[in-house]
Amino acid sequence: PPPPPPPPPPFFFTPHHATPDSVASRGLGDVYKRQHTDRFTAAVSKAPVINWISFVGTTDGSSWYYNFAKLPWEDPSEHLRRSPLMYVGNVTTPTMLITGEKDLRTPMEQTEQYYKALKLRKVPTAMIRLTDGWHSRSRPPTNFIRVQLYLRNWFERFSVK
């Protein structure tokens, strides 16, 4: 049987717009939702996993490898089927991506792949590289404030007036 879908992301609702905002494994749910619906006016993914094949060789979390029936070099089909990059052609929602450059769990290259794909498709997008950031975007404390300001600006920019 196919694997269960990723958990749904936390959602931020106001009377004027609905926007998903998520982190890492929840980021998968966020990306999945945007690829299968157009109900959001804007979205943000923080430290997303975008390509499960390249993720296998770049993450510090080897336990992820066991979420698949086979390793990608044995049979890449499940990795491809579960990779958000394979469905970027369905995305129309303006998307901001935020990742720390020092993130070893979900490396920056994951964010870069999705950003480039969205740009090629001319989907409004922004990529925030936290030069001093790891997997948590709240350390140092200035990153927490910076991320909150980016989120506010992004969601206000695309809210329905």
Side-chain angles (χ1 to χ4, degrees):
F11 293 103
F12 172 72
F13 292 103
T14 72
H16 301 290
H17 64 283
T19 55
D21 174 25
S22 60
V23 181
S25 63
R26 290 187 320 233
L28 288 171
D30 167 46
V31 171
Y32 180 85
K33 289 278 189 195
R34 278 183 283 116
Q35 293 174 156
H36 294 84
T37 184
D38 62 356
R39 72 179 187 172
F40 301 110
T41 59
V44 173
S45 289
K46 299 178 221 160
V49 177
I50 296 303
N51 179 343
W52 282 106
I53 290 177
S54 63
F55 185 72
V56 167
T58 57
T59 183
D60 69 346
S62 61
S63 63
W64 284 100
Y65 303 171
Y66 303 106
N67 290 327
F68 296 87
K70 296 180 179 180
L71 293 168
W73 48 87
E74 296 168 348
D75 180 4
S77 61
E78 183 184 5
H79 288 74
L80 290 170
R81 188 177 71 252
R82 292 172 57 184
S83 290
L85 188 62
M86 298 296 106
Y87 306 98
V88 74
N90 299 332
V91 178
T92 58
T93 305
T95 304
M96 181 168 64
L97 305 156
I98 303 175
T99 301
E101 287 189 345
K102 297 177 182 177
D103 191 341
L104 302 176
R105 186 72 20 94
T106 53
M108 191 73 208
E109 58 89 20
Q110 293 289 310
T111 296
E112 291 168 340
Q113 288 182 52
Y114 207 62
Y115 174 76
K116 293 285 188 180
L118 291 170
K119 291 295 273 185
L120 283 170
R121 295 208 58 253
K122 298 184 177 17
V123 174
T125 188
M127 179 175 59
I128 308 301
R129 302 173 73 101
L130 300 173
T131 55
D132 54 353
W134 298 83
H135 193 61
S136 167
R137 276 131 323 268
S138 61
R139 292 194 183 113
T142 54
N143 275 353
F144 176 79
I145 295 166
R146 188 176 318 143
V147 166
Q148 299 311 306
L149 293 172
Y150 283 130
L151 292 172
R152 181 178 178 181
N153 178 274
W154 188 256
F155 290 141
E156 285 178 351
R157 181 174 165 195
F158 292 101
S159 68
V160 177
K161 305 286 186 223

